[in-house]
RNA sequence: GCCGAAGUGGCGGAAUGGUAGACGCGGCAGACUCAAAAUCUGUUGAGGGCAACCUCGUGGGGGUUCAAGUCCCCCCUUCGGUACCA
């Protein structure tokens, strides 16, 4: 009757916390705040897998620890519930996405609640709630009114399989990053957000953030700032000109031809009649080439001559103008000056088409490869630049170009504007109306939110318009003042919209008048710790930072950046099994045969591998089962004990069993067979040895929590237990303090034992124990004696013994003596409290 | 190709330049049991030795140092990111 029963204990305390409102967060200016946030999940129909609780447990431990340190903690959870999966489910089954969403949120809430996470559930919301959509639309209108939202007719990423366009960030190697579906270019009128206007600040402000360097680097590279120059070339014999962007204006004298991207508007106009057919064919071929194909870098360079020439502004020389698809239409000005001597791509192209290669920077051998050094190379054959090093030559030529009005220094970015519209149903409608003459106007703020029309068919229309176009009544609006007939925008916002500001709504989630109150924002923001997966390194984090900066410029938020500290948890991997035909098998279908795995039914050999958990690989571990079998505390503990939070780690059922075992041993330390406190817990002052153990444990756990090294912190708690069970007596003071140390990690068990020790209230706000260095010291000390770097003896000495005395003991030690015999002493020093180093020669 | 991160027992992983392998899993031995499971105790890097001990050992090769898993140089492998961005 006294054994550890996690299920019972956990239900009891979860109910207690909810009833008591233990984790409700209320603004309190007298206390410092701490805002700890998880990247909120998309509630899919599959429910949670054990990867989700990893980050959630980490933030929960920090939240609980910070509360015990006196911080007023904001720790909310909600749902990023718009999105494709729910919509596709609706297309398949006809069930309305709102219903699916509600069901999925309920499942997620139940699963997450079972983990005993200390969220303030009163702040929960879904991005699909009309009240939230209202303010998402409101923020969009602020961007629109600032001129940051506009429509564009440019070629966009169209994904036929998804039936929608995608943002640049969602496409990689010509495929949709989520599904791998191929993407093609299509010209469509789309809503864009002018994120490029913030490119400079999005790079610069990264410096102040406590983020992993890798993520900062990825963002910097995505934004892709590069300094260079724009140079204007005129077309020989025609009143036409075009601009090229180059980062190496110093090599202008080395340009031997120019290249226009196939999409460049000038291509058609400058091509000579003789070249018309060839160029036309090339351009058409380039247009029909899929993005997947074009992304292949190993392809041989291709191109055609237009028959026209450009005039190099520095020396008046005529350069042939080519069209080639290695020049991208979307970057810079879609045209380049080619300097094959000093650019590897141009070099390859020149080789392929027998174009001249000129040397203008000495130091390399341009017959072998382009010489691209831009620090030490010295300019040659370059008129006024001769003899200069590259950086100085760049400055000189830019000044020269600017004086003559045929060029200027510029900064260019890879980042493009954010394609913000989707041809989907399950997203936020744009709060925009269009009149018959095509002018666009914003929906009045008091008319927000623009709610989605109720549909029973979520597919695009037969003529290819978005699903919302099916709702003809909804689309048509009459202006109450003028009686004018207006049409609603039928695109919806991408899923990123909702996650761009949810962290702000969490500060004040029930505010009906404003998206958030200035008081709440001023108190809670910024997010002090943000934990989530690395997959959002560019997408979500870049978009959210962009919106935040717009809001900052409007005076609606007081910090330049939303997320002060970012931590990326690793992935939880799991073993999967595949038969020789590549078909995945469930764990239950295979068994071990010696070192190998075989199919139980057929004894066929099976390949096993450690992979990302996914439904298709049949290796998903369900947290509900783990909680049912071992308890939430064991699941939490194991997820943290597996290894460093930021690393990928393979799941092991034996591992969680070990953690459950630890918790049971803790239980048995406190509770006896008769369900009473064990007799070893006594009101007696701890001796020096016990105090030292306790204080060293407090110190280690505190320091490791601060560094989010949860795995080693847990190891310290285990060590304490291993010592404690060896003793006949556990002084009450130690028993009490140990529970406080355990509480952030295994809160249910800690609360239960705390309660059984006679405390009627929760330990959630008990002060975190502090340590005393004086108590940490131990009376004796192990000292290793190294001779020439190898440990030859270990002595136990009094901790207060002087270095010199320890050295003498070491030198005269019987195991050390033989290593010194016949050698001369070169060096001897107590290099650390526990190490004496002796060198002989 | 470029940019990151990583490579340590049978496994997950510990180690401010200072006793490599903490802690856990697994294994082995013992206790309890009619027996098993569970639990408890001990033990567990490899090789050698009766033993005290000795030798080797952190992907590979060099180097710095009294001392290197840790710092420096070169190389290999794995995993992420990125890719004709001028």
């Amino acid at each position: 009757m006294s054994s550890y029963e996690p299920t019972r204990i956990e239900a009891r305390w979860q109910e207690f916390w909810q009833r008591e409102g233990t984790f409700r967060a209320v603004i309190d200016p007298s206390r410092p705040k701490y805002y700890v946030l998880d990247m909120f999940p998309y509630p899919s129909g599959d429910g949670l897998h054990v990867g989700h609780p990893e980050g959630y447990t980490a933030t929960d431990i920090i939240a609980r620890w910070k509360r015990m340190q006196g911080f007023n903690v904001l720790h909310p959870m909600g749902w990023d519930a718009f999105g494709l999966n729910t919509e596709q489910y609706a297309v398949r089954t006809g069930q309305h996405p709102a219903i699916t969403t509600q069901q999925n949120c309920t499942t997620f809430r139940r699963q997450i609640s079972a983990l005993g996470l200390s969220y303030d559930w009163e702040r929960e919301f879904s991005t699909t709630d009309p009240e939230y959509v209202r303010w998402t639309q409101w923020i969009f209108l602020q961007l629109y009114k600032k001129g940051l939202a506009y429509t564009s007719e440019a070629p966009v990423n169209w994904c036929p399989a998804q039936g929608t366009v995608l943002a640049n960030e969602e496409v990689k190697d010509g495929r949709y990053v989520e599904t791998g579906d191929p993407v093609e270019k299509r010209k469509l009128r789309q809503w864009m957000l002018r994120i490029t206007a913030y490119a400079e600040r999005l790079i610069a402000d990264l410096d102040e953030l406590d983020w992993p360097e890798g993520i900062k680097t990825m963002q910097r590279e995505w934004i892709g700032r590069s300094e260079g120059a724009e140079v204007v070339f005129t077309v020989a014999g025609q009143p036409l000109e075009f601009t090229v962007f180059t980062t190496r204006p110093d090599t202008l004298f080395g340009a031997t031809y120019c290249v226009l991207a196939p999409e460049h508007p000038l291509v058609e106009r400058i091509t000579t009649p003789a070249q018309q057919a060839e160029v036309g064919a090339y351009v058409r071929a380039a247009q029909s080439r899929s993005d997947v194909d074009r992304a292949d870098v190993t392809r041989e360079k291709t191109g055609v001559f237009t028959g026209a020439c450009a005039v190099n502004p520095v020396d008046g020389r005529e350069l042939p103008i080519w069209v080639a698809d290695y020049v991208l239409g979307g970057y810079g000005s879609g045209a380049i000056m080619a300097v094959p001597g000093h650019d590897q791509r141009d070099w390859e192209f020149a080789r392929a088409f027998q174009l001249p290669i000129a040397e203008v920077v000495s130091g390399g051998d341009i017959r072998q490869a382009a010489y691209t050094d831009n620090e030490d190379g010295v300019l040659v054959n370059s008129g006024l630049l001769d003899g200069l090093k590259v950086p100085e030559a760049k400055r000189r030529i830019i000044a020269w170009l600017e004086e003559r009005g045929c060029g200027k220094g510029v900064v260019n970015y890879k980042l493009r504007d954010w394609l913000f519209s989707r041809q989907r149903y399950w997203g936020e409608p744009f709060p925009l109306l269009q009149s018959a003459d095509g002018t666009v106007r914003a929906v009045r703020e008091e008319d927000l939110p623009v709610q989605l029309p109720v549909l029973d068919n979520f597919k695009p229309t037969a003529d290819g318009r978005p699903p919302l176009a099916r709702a003809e009544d909804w689309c048509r609006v009459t202006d109450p003042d003028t009686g004018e007939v207006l049409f609603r925008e039928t695109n919806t916002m991408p899923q990123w919209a909702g996650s761009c500001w949810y962290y702000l709504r969490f500060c004040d989630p029930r505010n009906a008048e404003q998206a958030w109150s200035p008081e709440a924002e001023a108190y809670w923001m910024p997010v002090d710790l943000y934990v989530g997966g690395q997959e959002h390194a560019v997408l979500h984090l870049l978009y959210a930072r962009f919106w935040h900066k717009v809001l900052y410029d409007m005076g609606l938020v007081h910090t330049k950046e939303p997320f002060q500290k970012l931590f990326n948890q690793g992935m939880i991997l799991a073993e999967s099994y595949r038969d020789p035909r590549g078909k995945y098998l469930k764990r239950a279908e295979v068994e071990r045969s010696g070192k190998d795995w075989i199919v139980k039914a057929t004894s066929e050999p099976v390949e096993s591998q450690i992979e990302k958990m996914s439904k298709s690989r049949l290796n998903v571990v369900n947290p509900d089962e783990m909680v049912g079998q071992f308890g939430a505390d064991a699941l939490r503990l194991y997820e943290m004990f597996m290894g460093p939070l930021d690393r990928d780690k393979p799941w092991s059922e034996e591992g969680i069993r070990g953690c459950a075992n630890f918790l049971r041993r803790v239980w048995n330390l406190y509770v006896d067979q008769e369900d009473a406190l064990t007799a070893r817990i006594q009101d007696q002052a701890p001796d020096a040895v016990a105090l030292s153990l306790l204080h060293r444990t407090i110190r280690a756990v505190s320091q490791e929590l601060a560094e989010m090294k949860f795995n080693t912190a847990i190891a310290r708690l285990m060590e304490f237990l291993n010592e404690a069970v060896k003793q006949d007596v556990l002084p009450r003071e130690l028993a009490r303090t140990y529970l406080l140390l355990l509480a952030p990690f295994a809160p249910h068990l800690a609360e239960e034992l705390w309660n059984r020790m006679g405390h009627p209230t929760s330990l959630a706000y008990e002060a975190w124990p502090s340590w005393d260095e004086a108590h940490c010291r131990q009376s004796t000390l192990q000292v290793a004696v190294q001779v020439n770097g190898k440990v030859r003896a270990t002595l136990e000495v009094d901790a207060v013994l002087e270095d010199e005395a320890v050295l003498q003991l070491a030198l005269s030690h019987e195991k050390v003596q033989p290593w010194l015999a016949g050698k001369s002493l070169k060096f001897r020093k107590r290099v650390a409290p526990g190490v004496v180093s002796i060198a002989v020669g």
Side-chain angles (χ1 to χ4, degrees), chain A residues 516-551:
Chain A
W516 59 84
S517 71
E519 300 75 38
E521 189 279 331
Y523 182 71
W524 292 115
M525 284 299 290
V527 175
D528 296 284
L529 175 64
Y530 194 29
V531 175
Q534 219 180 346
E535 65 273 22
H536 295 117
V538 176
L539 296 154
H540 158 62
L541 288 169
L542 193 65
Y543 295 149
R545 292 180 62 221
F546 162 49
W547 277 35
H548 195 86
K549 289 187 183 305
V550 175
L551 297 169

Side-chain angles (χ1 to χ4, degrees), chain A residues 157-160 166 170-177 179-185 285-299 325:
Chain A
N157 306 303
W158 172 260
C159 179
L166 299 167
E170 292 174 300
V171 179
K172 195 205 154 193
D173 294 338
R175 294 177 187 279
Y176 179 31
V177 290
T179 60
D181 294 318
V183 168
E184 58 191 49
K185 286 276 182 254
Q287 275 164 353
S288 65
R289 200 190 291 281
S290 72
D291 280 23
V292 181
D293 195 13
R294 196 164 167 171
D296 179 13
V297 193
T298 58
R299 241 172 67 228
D325 67 2

Side-chain angles (χ1 to χ4, degrees), chain A residues 216 408 452:
Chain A
K216 289 194 197 181
K408 61 182 179 197
L452 285 166

Side-chain angles (χ1 to χ4, degrees), chain A residues 669-670 677-683 728-732 735 757:
Chain A
L669 182 69
Y670 286 80
L677 280 188
T678 51
R680 58 157 35 103
I681 298 176
Q682 290 185 14
D683 288 311
D728 298 329
V729 173
L730 178 63
R732 182 171 289 270
M757 281 192 74

Side-chain angles (χ1 to χ4, degrees), chain A residues 25-43:
Chain A
V26 179
I27 292 177
D28 175 0
S30 72
R31 283 195 297 156
K33 67 91 184 181
Y34 194 84
Y35 186 176
V36 51
L37 183 67
D38 297 291
M39 289 184 187
F40 67 164
Y42 170 69

Side-chain angles (χ1 to χ4, degrees), chain A residues 797-835:
Chain A
V797 302
D798 202 297
V800 296
L801 208 59
E802 297 285 332
D803 289 355
E804 189 51 37
V806 174
L807 280 171
Q808 288 311 320
L809 279 175
L811 286 165
S812 57
H813 195 274
E814 54 168 359
K815 285 181 187 165
V816 175
Q817 279 291 322
W819 299 99
L820 307 182
K823 308 258 176 72
S824 64
L825 196 61
K826 290 201 307 195
F827 173 93
R828 34 154 244 169
K829 191 179 178 194
R830 190 178 190 185
V831 292
V835 182

